[in-house]
Amino acid sequence: MSGKNGNQYSISKLFLKFNQLLWKKSFLQNIRVLFYWIDGALLLTCKRRGKETPEGCGRKKVLVIYNMALGDGVMFYGVSKAIREIWPKGQYEVTITCQSAFSSLYESAGIYDKVLPLDFSGAVINLKKRRELFGKLREESYDLVVDPVGCEDCTTNMFVARAAKGKRKIGVLDMSIKERQAPEWLRRKIYHKVVEIRQGQIHLIRYYGEFFRKLGAKSCIPKPAELPAAELPFEVPERFFIIFPVASMEVKKWPLKRYAYLAKKIYNKAKMPLVVCGTEHDRQGIEEFLRLLPDVEVKDYIGKTNIMQFIELIGRASLVVSNDTSAYHIAVAKQVPVAMVCGGYTYHRYAKYDYEKEGCRTPLLVRQEMECYDCNNHCCYTGFQLFPCIDKIGAKEAWKEISALMEREGLCTDDN
């Protein structure tokens, strides 16, 4: 998967190591509050170039902060149309700032007047890049800064909201999360208003919908996005399945041998080729996976798609299997049969779709439920390399559920 201008999307290795450490030892996540003082020093060195809009002159400027990954962006995509009900075109100039490689997704939405792509993942640890990001962000002044991500934890969106130049800043707080790393004083320092969401175990799309409803959107119907089609730069088989065996964090990565077991079973049952795709960043892990599959027909499209083409390729699959949430959320939005090998760290918020009333297909979640589900990435176990809720899921148990899904979807050949 390449960026809009052909640049490969990759995640900072230092960022991944930092997050890996925080997730293995969740108590260390509290150190992120230190960025408040670090950023204070960085902001003193940033030039104040943004000019404020005089009262009564032109459209008011709104900045939406959305620094999240691709899967989150796909969930945000559809429900974010409510932004224009709250801040109508003609009256407001709405800008969204997003991760650089995903700008084409937000441009395709037709919602925003401007898309401001920034290197958020690179700027989490690298202070030079962090200062550069703040400098670009502060080239404009806004009447309103809106942060829909959430201010429970000391995450990047909060510090970006602080750095942005805005007369008024609005955040959102999930009151059902008990362990909040961000102290109340920090929220008060950053936001003029914090919208409180009091519905527990609410899926992220509905969470965004509730946030926009509280800001004034009355006709917002939360459901998976209707993503635009894109032309592919290559021919694809009429029928194929995708297995996405990589994950952004090693603690979430289901073992490759178990994926290989599923790939062989699916291939033998459906007699359709396996397609692998993603970025060059994913190649090493996927090639290691393919070495376990000498007898499976494979089509390799790694690094051959931009973001919108990656979405299109997933949308044309007959079946998708993953424990990476980006591929999962895209498949759900594209109404493709999909099975996710699913942990419980953010089960109801990120994994469990329930939109049948809105006419949407319910995905298969392959899981081994534990009492500690919905821990919000604060694992109560120690000494693990892989989250226990992922590691407990066996390949044979997963195949039993995926095989039944294939039967229901008519994906088996006549001799199976």
Side-chain angles (χ1 to χ4, degrees):
M1 174 169 48
S2 61
K4 179 184 174 184
N5 300 314
N7 299 319
Q8 289 294 317
Y9 169 62
S10 62
I11 303 175
S12 161
K13 291 181 179 180
L14 190 59
F15 166 73
L16 290 177
K17 287 181 179 179
F18 180 69
N19 260 11
Q20 186 89 348
L21 175 63
L22 296 188
W23 286 9
K24 282 185 176 181
K25 302 181 184 298
S26 60
F27 67 91
L28 291 177
Q29 294 181 28
N30 294 312
I31 69 173
R32 291 189 294 200
V33 73
L34 294 176
F35 278 111
Y36 177 79
W37 291 279
I38 295 171
D39 289 350
L42 292 177
L43 291 171
L44 289 174
T45 67
C46 291
K47 295 180 180 179
R48 290 180 167 268
R49 287 177 283 182
K51 294 182 179 180
E52 295 185 2
T53 305
E55 290 294 333
C57 295
R59 297 179 295 174
K60 290 188 177 296
K61 294 182 179 181
V62 178
L63 175 67
V64 178
I65 294 170
Y66 203 78
N67 60 297
M68 303 302 283
L70 180 57
D72 303 74
V74 166
M75 289 188 282
F76 187 68
Y77 185 96
V79 73
S80 61
K81 291 179 181 179
I83 285 171
R84 281 309 188 179
E85 186 179 348
I86 305 165
W87 302 291
K89 285 190 175 184
Q91 299 178 39
Y92 294 87
E93 179 186 278
V94 180
T95 299
I96 187 169
T97 182
C98 63
Q99 178 67 40
S100 297
F102 307 146
S103 59
S104 57
L105 175 66
Y106 301 100
E107 288 166 358
S108 72
I111 296 170
Y112 309 100
D113 297 289
K114 296 179 181 179
V115 175
L116 177 61
L118 297 172
D119 181 11
F120 285 103
S121 67
V124 171
I125 303 300
N126 188 311
L127 297 186
K128 181 180 177 181
K129 289 186 176 181
R130 197 174 180 95
R131 181 183 178 278
E132 290 173 357
L133 184 149
F134 289 165
K136 291 178 182 178
L137 183 71
R138 290 164 70 86
E139 288 179 0
E140 289 271 359
S141 288
Y142 300 91
D143 297 281
L144 181 63
V145 175
V146 181
D147 174 10
V149 176
C151 54
E152 298 83 27
D153 298 338
C154 297
T155 44
T156 302
N157 57 289
M158 290 189 69
F159 298 114
V160 171
R162 180 204 181 186
K165 295 182 66 181
K167 295 178 183 177
R168 186 168 171 79
K169 299 179 182 181
I170 300 176
V172 58
L173 180 65
D174 185 348
M175 299 300 290
S176 70
I177 295 177
K178 296 179 181 179
E179 291 188 25
R180 301 176 199 152
Q181 294 158 7
E184 185 61 31
W185 65 261
L186 183 59
R187 280 188 285 274
R188 290 198 302 267
K189 287 279 189 181
I190 295 174
Y191 305 101
H192 297 89
K193 176 182 178 180
V194 174
V195 174
E196 296 182 352
I197 307 295
R198 296 183 177 275
Q199 299 178 35
Q201 296 187 334
I202 183 174
H203 187 257
L204 189 59
I205 295 176
R206 299 192 194 279
Y207 181 82
Y208 291 142
E210 183 65 11
F211 175 56
F212 290 134
R213 188 188 68 79
K214 285 178 176 287
L215 292 180
K218 297 179 181 178
S219 61
C220 177
I221 301 175
K223 64 178 183 178
E226 295 178 7
L227 298 169
E231 188 173 333
L232 293 177
F234 43 74
E235 295 291 328
V236 296
E238 183 177 347
R239 298 170 70 249
F240 62 90
F241 71 100
I242 291 174
I243 288 187
F244 205 76
V246 295
S248 57
M249 299 292 168
E250 290 294 324
V251 288
K252 293 182 176 182
K253 188 178 177 182
W254 205 49
L256 293 179
K257 288 184 178 179
R258 300 182 203 180
Y259 275 120
Y261 177 88
L262 294 182
K264 293 172 186 176
K265 290 288 189 179
I266 294 170
Y267 179 69
N268 291 331
K269 191 176 184 71
K271 297 296 187 292
M272 56 184 175
L274 164 66
V275 160
V276 291
C277 51
T279 71
E280 290 297 335
H281 177 82
D282 303 317
R283 182 173 291 281
Q284 182 178 351
I286 292 177
E287 287 184 345
E288 186 180 343
F289 164 62
L290 293 181
R291 284 194 285 272
L292 302 172
L293 302 171
D295 300 321
V296 173
E297 181 185 356
V298 177
K299 301 291 183 182
D300 183 350
Y301 301 122
I302 299 171
K304 296 180 180 179
T305 59
N306 60 29
I307 292 296
M308 301 312 294
Q309 291 163 347
F310 177 69
I311 290 171
E312 178 69 20
L313 181 61
I314 290 175
R316 295 193 192 186
S318 299
L319 174 68
V320 175
V321 178
S322 177
N323 82 300
D324 172 78
T325 52
S326 293
Y328 170 67
H329 294 305
I330 292 167
V332 172
K334 284 290 190 177
Q335 297 292 287
V336 172
V338 56
M340 184 169 79
V341 179
C342 174
Y345 21 86
T346 50
Y347 178 72
H348 284 91
R349 176 59 54 85
Y350 283 91
K352 190 176 180 356
Y353 281 82
D354 183 17
Y355 294 93
E356 288 187 354
K357 291 181 180 178
E358 289 76 23
C360 301
R361 182 197 300 266
T362 299
L364 170 64
L365 295 176
V366 180
R367 63 196 181 101
Q368 181 66 51
E369 188 165 354
M370 300 171 67
E371 290 184 359
C372 53
Y373 258 40
D374 283 320
C375 68
N376 194 34
N377 295 316
H378 292 78
C379 187
C380 61
Y381 294 88
T382 57
F384 58 84
Q385 295 299 315
L386 178 64
F387 277 141
C389 52
I390 287 283
D391 198 21
K392 285 180 177 289
I393 303 169
K396 291 182 179 179
E397 293 79 8
W399 168 240
K400 183 177 179 180
E401 294 191 53
I402 292 171
S403 177
L405 171 65
M406 293 176 67
E407 295 280 356
R408 293 194 298 271
E409 296 292 341
L411 297 177
C412 310
T413 56
D414 292 338
D415 55 345
N416 281 286

